[in-house]
Amino acid sequence: MLLWALSPLYIYLMNRAPKINYNTEYEVDMPTDDPPAIVNAVCAGDPKRVGVPNLDGFRATILDLISRNYLFLKNESYNGSHYPESLLLEINPNNDISSLWKFEVQVLDFLKESEQDGIISLDLISKNLDPSYSYSAYGIWRNEVRSTLLDGNNFKDAFHSRGYIYLKTFGVLGTIIAWALIFYSFPSKLFSGTFILCALILWISSIISLFLTKRIAGQWTAYGREYYKRWMNFRSYIEDFSLIKEYPPESVKIWDKYLAYATALGAAKGVRRAMEISLSDDQLEESDVYMFHMANYYRYFKEHNKRILELD
């Protein structure tokens, strides 16, 4: 039983990610041309499962569609400050959507559901993204991103789930056997403190195996580990304020792409601050991606402050 209780350690060691010959500290350019939702799903999405995006991936997809002119801002209103209080979006009817991924088309379809007289209000987008109000549309989008990854050979070459499956199998069998041994040992000569202790150790080991997430129990391949590290190094670059000031993007259009991918990686704050220092107010107002991001940012703090006042 004690040897069997060590099985999770053996499975984990056998499924460790291989070493790679990659020692770059920062990635100044975006490592791949994958859509932000894919990058989010692999590198910064669901904390338990690799390949499942979160709400940052959804927001990043909207920003990316804005930067590619599939969406544009219709109107802006300011509440006596530089930050937009609300924004209105409009879908560009002249862009061909045949080249978009299915999950990107789903985002456009989702926005169309919030459309009124051809205009999409940010208030309605936020309301429809509330899981308690309409979880199905967001859930369908998440599943589509996940399916896209699983159908692509690149992800299969990047991450393997067999270690996770082995550990879950061990966890179920170990729990059943440990309690069966404890139960049947009482009326027999097997019953002893040492025997019970070994069975309990086996059970604890099994329970730990059941609670390990796929990100921990799965295995990155050499390709997957390098993919992950390159995007994390890109995140380190955009979060390093001094570095991004030293090596800034060459145009507002590239800043827009950086902000979309930074949102996908959960690191939008650094890029936003760098944009505000590196670009003039006129350039910032010309950036639909920045203005839409700031509308979300402003709205978040407005709601946050409102809740604080309500609590007081």
Side-chain angles (χ1 to χ4, degrees), residues 227-250:
Y227 182 98
Y228 178 83
K229 285 184 69 67
R230 290 185 67 189
W231 274 107
M232 287 297 101
N233 285 344
F234 176 74
R235 173 178 173 169
S236 298
Y237 156 66
I238 58 180
E239 285 187 317
D240 190 324
F241 189 62
S242 61
L243 193 65
I244 200 171
K245 279 183 62 180
E246 185 177 355
Y247 303 102
E250 297 177 355

Side-chain angles (χ1 to χ4, degrees), residues 106-133:
Q106 286 178 339
V107 171
L108 293 177
D109 291 339
F110 171 83
L111 295 176
K112 286 179 182 177
E113 294 177 2
S114 304
E115 198 174 49
Q116 293 182 353
D117 299 326
I119 302 301
I120 305 160
S121 169
L122 182 62
D123 293 334
L124 292 177
I125 294 174
S126 301
K127 184 179 181 181
N128 289 342
L129 273 180
D130 184 351
S132 63
Y133 178 81

Side-chain angles (χ1 to χ4, degrees), residues 139-249:
I140 291 171
W141 174 82
R142 288 208 321 169
N143 289 335
E144 180 57 35
V145 175
R146 184 171 180 269
S147 298
T148 301
L149 277 169
L150 293 176
D151 291 340
N153 291 327
N154 285 344
F155 184 68
K156 293 178 182 178
D157 293 337
F159 188 84
H160 297 153
S161 301
R162 57 174 177 262
Y164 174 78
I165 296 172
Y166 293 158
L167 284 171
K168 294 300 178 184
T169 302
F170 167 83
V172 173
L173 293 177
T175 299
I176 294 173
I177 292 173
W179 281 105
L181 289 171
I182 292 173
F183 179 79
Y184 285 108
S185 70
F186 280 103
S188 71
K189 294 180 180 180
L190 288 174
F191 179 74
S192 69
T194 303
F195 185 87
I196 297 299
L197 178 61
C198 292
L200 287 174
I201 292 173
L202 173 60
W203 176 64
I204 293 171
S205 177
S206 302
I207 293 298
I208 292 173
S209 299
L210 288 174
F211 280 94
L212 288 176
T213 66
K214 188 173 289 187
R215 282 189 178 269
I216 297 174
Q219 179 194 32
W220 290 103
T221 65
Y223 166 79
R225 190 177 183 188
E226 182 173 338
Y227 182 98
Y228 178 83
K229 285 184 69 67
R230 290 185 67 189
W231 274 107
M232 287 297 101
N233 285 344
F234 176 74
R235 173 178 173 169
S236 298
Y237 156 66
I238 58 180
E239 285 187 317
D240 190 324
F241 189 62
S242 61
L243 193 65
I244 200 171
K245 279 183 62 180
E246 185 177 355
Y247 303 102

Side-chain angles (χ1 to χ4, degrees), residues 283-301:
Q283 288 176 308
L284 290 175
E285 291 178 12
E286 289 174 3
S287 170
D288 286 355
V289 173
Y290 171 81
M291 298 306 294
F292 184 81
H293 170 80
M294 283 308 303
N296 279 277
Y297 181 77
Y298 178 83
R299 179 184 176 83
Y300 168 79
F301 281 102

